[in-house]
């Protein structure tokens, strides 16, 4: 196929190894297709970046007045992580005065990813909001290839082409570490978020940047990787104390992990902030209820939700609208833990 030749149902069928009728059935949402054939056709559509004329017309003329908020995480994380509930509140607020319905979809495995892909192919939603984005997550690219308006809370990398909204993770992390330096701390550790997420890598970079700005070396012994869970914060704090028992401060890349880190410090007989100062990130309700209350970087999580929803509605109304990359400011809220 030549580089400028537009793919057709025939080329999709050839790539998928099925007949053209099967491709048509998949595009039109028919149930008369095996799961194996549907998967092959959807993969071929994605690889060839094929958008059928009926889908292109449907995106313009036929609205479902429904958008999907997709969270590729477990129910337990959805329930225990205040970030998600705040984003959902923000999205709901932005949609309240419109006639748009919100569908919440958890995508935890391949089967649920296929269900989402079917919803897109059958045009059961006008657009998708995707929260908690991992670097190699196939969903953003798949949705883009299928021609559906998609807006991310976060991004896969600094080169993210899709519209996205996120907090100033770099500046917020750097402000946290500068605060610890100003408090006279000398061995400042960090518990990172998952490093397959831009948010995890960027907050780690903020830690490094603030140390470099102060003329300090970033010691790898002072870095432990977490997973944004309380248990992950405990485990990371444990490994930090074993690797660097002289640490006197820790910047933790989320409040939930900071709760776990503070519990581990208490178990080890380390007083907060006397022995070890702690700063979190989010300024969630957890920060006000720890003992002592947690110093934390406030990010406007609910505003992230309202903003991604408004950007998506704009892209649904005008598919040719330029994509937006929006960074919202953070601020440091100082409490007793530092």
């Amino acid at each position: 196929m030549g580089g400028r030749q537009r793919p057709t149902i025939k080329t999709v069928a050839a790539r998928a190894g099925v007949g053209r009728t099967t491709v048509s059935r998949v595009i039109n949402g028919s149930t008369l297709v095996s799961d194996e054939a549907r998967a092959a056709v959807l993969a071929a559509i994605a690889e060839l970046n094929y958008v059928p004329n009926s889908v292109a017309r449907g995106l313009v003329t036929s609205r479902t007045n429904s958008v999907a908020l997709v969270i590729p995480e477990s129910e337990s994380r959805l329930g225990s992580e205040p970030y998600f509930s705040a984003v959902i509140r923000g999205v709901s607020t932005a949609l309240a005065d419109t006639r748009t319905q919100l569908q919440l979809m958890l995508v935890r495995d391949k089967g649920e990813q296929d269900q989402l892909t079917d919803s897109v192919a059958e045009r059961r939603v006008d657009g998708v909001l995707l929260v908690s984005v991992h670097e190699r997550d196939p969903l953003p690219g798949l949705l883009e290839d299928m021609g559906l308006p998609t807006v991310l809370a976060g991004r896969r990398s600094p080169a993210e082409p899709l519209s996205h909204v996120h907090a100033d993770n770099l500046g917020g992390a750097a402000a946290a570490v500068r605060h610890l330096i100003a408090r006279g701390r000398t061995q400042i550790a960090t518990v990172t978020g998952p490093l397959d997420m831009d948010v995890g890598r960027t907050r780690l970079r903020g830690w490094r940047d603030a140390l470099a700005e102060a003329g300090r070396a970033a010691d790898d012994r002072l870095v432990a990787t977490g997973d944004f869970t309380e248990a992950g914060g405990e485990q990371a704090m444990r490994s930090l104390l074993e690797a660097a028992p002289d640490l006197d401060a820790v910047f933790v890349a989320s409040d939930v992990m900071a709760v776990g880190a503070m519990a581990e410090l208490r178990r080890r007989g380390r007083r907060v902030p006397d022995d070890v100062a702690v700063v979190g990130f989010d300024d969630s309700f957890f920060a006000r209820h720890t003992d002592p209350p947690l110093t934390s970087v406030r990010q406007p999580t609910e505003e992230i939700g309202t903003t991604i929803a408004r950007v998506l509605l704009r892209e649904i109304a005008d598919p040719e609208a330029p994509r937006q990359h929006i960074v919202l400011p953070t601020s440091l809220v100082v409490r007793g833990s530092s």
Side-chain angles (χ1 to χ4, degrees):
M1 189 178 78
R4 288 171 295 179
Q5 185 179 338
R6 184 174 175 157
T8 64
I9 279 188
K10 184 176 179 181
T11 51
V12 171
R15 175 68 63 93
V18 299
R20 277 178 280 184
T21 303
T22 300
V23 175
S24 293
R25 283 176 174 163
V26 171
I27 289 168
N28 292 308
S30 169
T31 56
L32 302 174
V33 183
S34 71
D35 290 344
E36 185 179 345
R38 179 179 284 106
V41 169
L42 291 174
I45 285 171
E47 287 166 18
L48 295 167
N49 199 18
Y50 171 68
V51 180
N53 289 336
S54 61
V55 172
R57 280 199 303 274
L59 286 170
V60 175
T61 62
S62 173
R63 300 271 184 251
T64 64
N65 291 322
S66 178
V67 298
L69 174 61
V70 178
I71 302 177
E73 300 287 353
S74 65
E75 300 100 319
S76 61
R77 263 218 70 202
L78 184 64
S80 64
E81 175 57 78
Y83 173 84
F84 295 122
S85 55
V87 169
I88 293 168
R89 276 198 310 275
V91 170
S92 299
T93 298
L95 298 181
D97 296 331
T98 73
R99 295 179 59 195
T100 307
Q101 290 185 312
L102 181 63
Q103 296 182 26
L104 178 62
M105 302 179 72
L106 298 186
V107 176
R108 295 157 290 195
D109 55 32
K110 181 69 166 65
E112 290 178 340
Q113 181 180 309
D114 290 345
Q115 286 175 11
L116 172 61
T117 307
D118 286 350
S119 286
V120 172
E122 295 167 19
R123 303 197 303 283
R124 291 200 293 265
V125 294
D126 296 331
V128 169
L129 300 166
L130 189 55
V131 180
S132 192
V133 187
H134 294 258
E135 185 177 25
R136 291 182 175 80
D137 188 341
L139 275 177
L142 190 61
L143 294 167
E144 182 178 28
D145 288 346
M146 296 185 79
L148 194 76
T150 301
V151 179
L152 312 181
R155 60 187 185 181
R156 286 167 288 180
S157 76
E160 178 61 65
L162 291 170
S163 287
H164 58 275
V165 180
H166 61 89
D168 180 9
N169 294 303
L170 185 68
V177 178
R178 284 190 204 107
H179 165 72
L180 291 167
I181 291 169
R183 285 286 202 263
R185 305 294 167 149
T186 58
Q187 296 294 309
I188 302 171
T190 186
V191 176
T192 78
L195 296 180
D196 70 336
M197 298 181 74
D198 178 78
V199 61
R201 295 190 301 271
T202 303
R203 290 177 189 173
L204 173 60
R205 200 166 94 239
W207 173 82
R208 291 186 188 283
D209 287 356
L211 290 177
E213 183 184 284
R216 301 188 185 187
D219 186 342
D220 286 342
R221 290 182 313 129
L222 296 172
V223 179
T225 305
D227 59 1
F228 286 146
T229 69
E230 186 175 345
E234 286 185 41
Q235 176 57 49
M237 194 70 244
R238 196 172 306 135
S239 63
L240 283 172
L241 289 169
E242 287 164 5
D246 58 339
L247 67 85
D248 62 0
V250 58
F251 162 59
V252 189
S254 82
D255 288 355
V256 174
M257 291 196 298
V259 169
M262 289 171 77
E264 182 62 26
L265 287 166
R266 194 172 301 114
R267 268 193 295 274
R268 298 290 187 107
R270 303 290 182 99
R271 296 166 302 161
V272 176
D274 305 47
D275 301 321
V276 180
V278 180
V279 179
F281 200 115
D282 287 327
D283 192 37
S284 63
F285 64 81
F286 282 126
R288 293 179 290 283
H289 297 290
T290 56
D291 180 23
L294 180 66
T295 295
S296 185
V297 178
R298 176 178 292 162
Q299 63 169 340
T301 312
E302 206 162 316
E303 189 182 346
I304 290 172
T306 58
T307 307
I308 58 173
R310 287 174 184 146
V311 171
L312 182 64
L313 291 174
R314 196 172 300 129
E315 292 195 4
I316 290 169
D318 178 10
E320 301 304 314
R323 288 174 174 169
Q324 298 186 60
H325 304 158
I326 299 171
V327 181
L328 298 176
T330 57
S331 59
L332 186 69
V333 180
V334 179
R335 298 190 181 92
S337 69
S338 63

